[in-house]
Amino acid sequence: ETTLGAAAAQSGRYFGAAIAAGRLGDSTYVNILNREFNSVTAENEMKWDATEPSRGSFNYTNGDRIANHAIARGMKIRGHALLWHAQMPGWAQSLSGSTLRSAAINHVTQVATHYRGKIHSWDVVNEAFADGTSGGRRDSSLQRTGNDWIEAAFRAARAADPGAKLCYNDYNTDGINAKSTGIYNMVRDFKSRGVPIDCVGFQSHLTNSVPGDYQANLQRFADLGVDVQITELDISGSNQANVYATVTRACLNVARCTGITVWGIRDSDSWRTGQNPLLFDAAGNKKAAYTSVLNALNAA
Ligand code: G3I
């Protein structure tokens, strides 16, 4: 196959990109998007600050532009993200305790209901675990509403959109480490108690290498009975093309790794300014990393 999406589809997987509504008028960008990718994630447009700028008042204009572009072309949509301690709107940043809890759960219900039936997978909760060696939760106003806030969010999302796969998503979880093990223990607990969780997202913002146990880490989560997805892949450094191939092969080697999303299209679209971590250069040309990923997908 000659495109990323078609090559991934040979094994039933998707290949997606994070996109920005504000770039949908850029023909170079849109031509690459429509040619290469069969899944999209809104880079910012479905987040809390974007969708509920004031309490109880919802704005889906830009999220819907992305969703409509995808639906018109048969692309899957990854919803990102219902709850995250960052990019909370100002009004929610000033809440705490039971008031924040009910506002957060209402947010999950409203947004998941708006997009009901359109979302392949939702990042229900993003980045709730701490970096470092504790293996525990990150301190945040959401966490201080009670340790059960994550399961409350997943239950609300399931009730609102029973057809969407519900994911937990995080970074620095690329190998077997204290943070990924903390998440692993949460997923195992959720599965044992019937809390609805279907998938775990591994953001995979990488710098020139990937841990040797990356595939084993994906596999141990899959063995808990959830899908795994590579959700925000970008890789900087001189070994970029090789690392992209290694990550791609790791996903292909794990039966429950259902898809890969890169966090942007061209290097000039990336949040990692100056690091050129994506598959297309600023002019929209395919890079060596692109060929490396395409060949890995076609070899499967
Ligand atoms: O839209 C405003 C614009 O009106 C304003 O003039 C401008 C001035 O700074 O800011 C614009 O908003 C920016 C927004 O991106 C859209 O470009 C925000 O400042 C900026 O903070 C925001 O950054 C995003 C970041 O999440 C926020 O934390 C990045 O684009 C986005 O790539 C990044 O994505 C995250 C994932 O959601 C979660 N995982 C990590 C990943 C990388 O940080």
Side-chain angles (χ1 to χ4, degrees), residues 14 17 20 70 79 82-83 91 96 108 124-125 134 180 221 225 229 237:
Y14 64 83
L82 293 170
L83 292 180
W91 63 266
S96 62
V108 171
V124 178
V125 171
S134 75
S180 62
F221 279 87
Q229 303 173 356

Side-chain angles (χ1 to χ4, degrees), residues 18 20 23 42-45 47 49 80-81 84 86-87 126-127 169-171 203 205 232 234 263 269-272:
R23 293 196 170 94
E43 188 173 0
N44 290 295
E45 292 82 347
K47 292 172 179 175
D49 61 348
H80 175 80
W84 183 23
Q87 283 184 285
N126 189 47
E127 300 178 14
N169 189 53
D170 216 325
Y171 68 90
Q203 293 183 12
H205 297 293
E232 303 183 15
D234 51 20
W263 204 242
D269 303 314
S270 174
W271 69 294
R272 297 172 70 172

Side-chain angles (χ1 to χ4, degrees), residues 232-253:
E232 303 183 15
L233 182 62
D234 51 20
I235 306 171
S236 63
S238 57
N239 202 28
Q240 177 178 66
N242 288 324
V243 182
Y244 262 108
T246 302
V247 169
T248 303
R249 283 193 294 263
C251 180
L252 295 170
N253 286 339

Side-chain angles (χ1 to χ4, degrees), residues 28-190:
T28 304
Y29 182 86
V30 172
N31 286 341
I32 298 170
L33 169 62
N34 293 349
R35 184 185 75 223
E36 297 288 343
F37 297 98
N38 54 19
S39 172
V40 298
T41 305
E43 188 173 0
N44 290 295
E45 292 82 347
M46 295 187 191
K47 292 172 179 175
W48 196 350
D49 61 348
T51 52
E52 194 180 2
S54 58
R55 189 173 181 180
S57 173
F58 290 83
N59 182 343
Y60 298 111
T61 305
N62 286 325
D64 285 355
R65 288 176 66 195
I66 287 177
N68 291 338
H69 186 97
I71 290 164
R73 290 160 185 81
M75 300 171 177
K76 291 182 163 58
I77 304 169
R78 293 197 81 263
H80 175 80
L82 293 170
L83 292 180
W84 183 23
H85 67 277
Q87 283 184 285
M88 280 168 57
W91 63 266
Q93 290 178 33
S94 70
L95 301 182
S96 62
S98 60
T99 318
L100 175 59
R101 171 69 76 100
S102 52
I105 298 303
N106 180 60
H107 180 77
V108 171
T109 298
Q110 295 298 322
V111 177
T113 298
H114 176 79
Y115 287 109
R116 179 187 176 113
K118 298 180 175 175
I119 303 294
H120 171 268
S121 303
W122 260 117
D123 291 333
V124 178
V125 171
N126 189 47
E127 300 178 14
F129 275 72
D131 291 313
T133 56
S134 75
R137 299 282 182 84
R138 173 195 299 276
D139 180 55
S140 71
S141 60
L142 289 164
Q143 180 61 25
R144 291 193 291 275
T145 72
N147 201 52
D148 62 340
W149 72 279
I150 296 181
E151 62 190 86
F154 275 82
R155 291 187 199 281
R158 179 71 95 223
D161 187 356
K165 289 187 182 290
L166 305 182
C167 303
Y168 177 80
N169 189 53
D170 216 325
Y171 68 90
N172 282 351
T173 52
D174 313 304
I176 297 177
N177 58 35
K179 186 175 182 179
S180 62
T181 299
I183 296 163
Y184 177 88
N185 290 335
M186 178 187 75
V187 173
R188 188 174 54 184
D189 171 58
F190 280 13

